[in-house]
Amino acid sequence: MSHYYDKTPEVKSDEQVFTYHYQNHRLALTTDAGVFSKGKIDFGSDLLVRTFLKHHPVGKKKTILDVGCGYGPIGLMLAKVAPHDDVTLVDVNARALALTTKNIEANDISNASVKESDGLSEVEDDTYDFILTNPPIRAGKDVVHGILEGAKDKLKANGKLLVVIQKKQGMASAKKKMDAVFSNVEVLAKNKGYYILSSDKC
């Protein structure tokens, strides 16, 4: 059986396009079978975008990493809202990466780049001000916690990790893991069972 966290999903392509809005910003996003949240923005991803922009509004240039980007809604909206920021989107799913590249071009975004990476395996250390992730819960706890644990080395000093996760899908253990790794964790938002967790690299 094929999953959205597989490198090459073995499911027939069925592309769809939908529009994602944040305030006066608009993205036309192509999605497909074999990629997370086909056909519409996932509630948790949207909550992560809105929470991030509330706490970290457009200002000085930021370097941002979107881990497990899917077809790109989180990273591309952040790139659209703040065109002077530098956004990198990574995923292991080849179809997701192709869609993200397509969506970058379709929305005329010049400050985002795409890279294949299984979790954080291909990400350089001490590179990002912010790492955001809607982690692949169905890939298992080891994969999710691997991202949470590995993020610290990839952040610059004083960088931040922001994670969206449902209470019923491991929020408590993720929160505990982030606190263990970073020695701090904060709940920035919660809505409909989704939590936005944040840790600082002190």
Side-chain angles (χ1 to χ4, degrees):
M1 184 176 179
S2 185
H3 301 280
Y4 66 81
Y5 50 83
D6 291 338
K7 185 170 183 177
T8 53
E10 296 177 356
V11 59
K12 184 178 179 182
S13 177
D14 179 27
E15 290 191 355
Q16 297 179 10
V17 180
F18 74 96
T19 303
Y20 176 31
H21 293 274
Y22 171 78
Q23 295 183 350
N24 62 330
H25 303 280
R26 174 185 175 276
L27 293 175
L29 296 172
T30 300
T31 71
D32 202 350
V35 176
F36 178 69
S37 193
K38 176 192 172 189
K40 65 177 182 178
I41 182 72
D42 167 69
F43 183 87
S45 295
D46 182 54
L47 181 62
L48 181 56
V49 168
R50 293 174 184 277
T51 303
F52 177 81
L53 291 171
K54 176 183 176 181
H55 287 267
H56 306 287
V58 178
K60 68 177 183 178
K61 182 177 179 179
K62 301 183 287 291
T63 52
I64 300 170
L65 177 68
D66 178 1
V67 182
C69 64
Y71 52 86
I74 295 172
L76 297 189
M77 183 56 82
L78 298 184
K80 190 80 169 178
V81 171
H84 60 286
D85 286 352
D86 185 3
V87 182
T88 303
L89 301 95
V90 299
D91 206 299
V92 70
N93 182 326
R95 186 174 291 182
L97 296 171
L99 288 169
T100 300
T101 300
K102 184 175 185 175
N103 287 328
I104 287 172
E105 295 170 354
N107 291 280
D108 196 26
I109 295 172
S110 61
N111 60 322
S113 59
V114 186
K115 185 175 184 177
E116 180 182 343
S117 182
D118 186 355
L120 294 162
S121 62
E122 303 303 317
V123 177
E124 294 182 5
D125 288 350
D126 305 314
T127 304
Y128 296 96
D129 298 310
F130 296 93
I131 295 177
L132 283 76
T133 186
N134 185 346
I137 299 299
R138 292 181 185 176
K141 184 177 179 179
D142 288 348
V143 172
V144 174
H145 283 206
I147 294 171
L148 304 182
E149 191 167 359
K152 186 175 182 180
D153 287 341
K154 311 305 178 183
L155 288 166
K156 297 177 183 177
N158 301 312
K160 294 178 182 288
L161 168 66
L162 284 86
V163 179
V164 59
I165 190 165
Q166 290 190 67
K167 184 176 182 178
K168 66 182 181 181
Q169 291 187 331
M171 184 281 294
S173 65
K175 186 180 179 184
K176 184 177 180 180
K177 170 60 74 172
M178 290 169 68
D179 193 30
V181 172
F182 290 87
S183 299
N184 66 85
V185 64
E186 180 182 2
V187 177
L188 296 184
K190 52 184 177 179
N191 195 343
K192 295 184 179 180
Y194 288 85
Y195 283 67
I196 307 297
L197 307 176
S198 176
S199 290
D200 299 349
K201 181 178 179 178
C202 301

